[in-house]
Amino acid sequence: MISFVYILFSEKMNRFYTGITTLSIKERLENHIKKKYSRLNFTHKAEDWKLVWELECISYSQARKIEIHIKKMKSKVYIQNLLKYPEMKRKLQSQFHE
């Protein structure tokens, strides 16, 4: 099943959010903005989320591995490099292939 890893950014919070979905990115973003998820969800804290990065994956498993990798980096600089260097997408896809 095709899945996506995505990164959102909130100017209000000056924070990034990394997630995965099997929905369309547009639908998932709308759900975050409309706060359709639990109040405990991190994205519930702001309403100005913007999609800044996305990566299509061949499976949910691959997407999950990439999401975990990005989150484990715990680095704004790493995310900024993902935004700056598009070739990093191919590296992630090959590093976390099925």
Side-chain angles (χ1 to χ4, degrees), residues 18-34:
T18 303
I20 58 174
T21 188
T22 55
L23 302 173
S24 75
I25 295 289
K26 181 181 177 182
E27 185 177 353
R28 184 67 170 186
L29 176 60
E30 287 173 4
N31 288 344
H32 282 297
I33 292 170
K34 292 178 181 176

Side-chain angles (χ1 to χ4, degrees), residues 1-18:
M1 172 185 294
I2 293 177
S3 300
F4 298 90
V5 180
Y6 62 93
I7 299 174
L8 307 178
F9 181 74
S10 166
E11 286 189 33
K12 174 183 172 184
M13 295 176 58
N14 192 29
R15 297 284 301 270
F16 289 100
Y17 172 82
T18 303

Side-chain angles (χ1 to χ4, degrees), residues 22-75:
T22 55
L23 302 173
S24 75
I25 295 289
K26 181 181 177 182
E27 185 177 353
R28 184 67 170 186
L29 176 60
E30 287 173 4
N31 288 344
H32 282 297
I33 292 170
K34 292 178 181 176
K35 300 183 181 191
K36 290 198 173 188
Y37 303 111
S38 163
R39 289 182 185 184
L40 301 176
N41 188 299
F42 180 76
T43 59
H44 204 272
K45 297 176 184 179
E47 53 284 319
D48 68 334
W49 295 105
K50 294 198 178 0
L51 177 69
V52 293
W53 188 86
E54 66 182 276
L55 176 65
E56 184 175 324
C57 298
I58 59 172
S59 68
Y60 186 85
S61 172
Q62 181 188 39
R64 183 74 175 124
K65 289 174 188 174
I66 292 171
E67 177 200 29
I68 289 169
H69 167 76
I70 293 169
K71 287 181 174 182
K72 279 185 178 178
M73 298 305 287
K74 294 187 182 275
S75 169

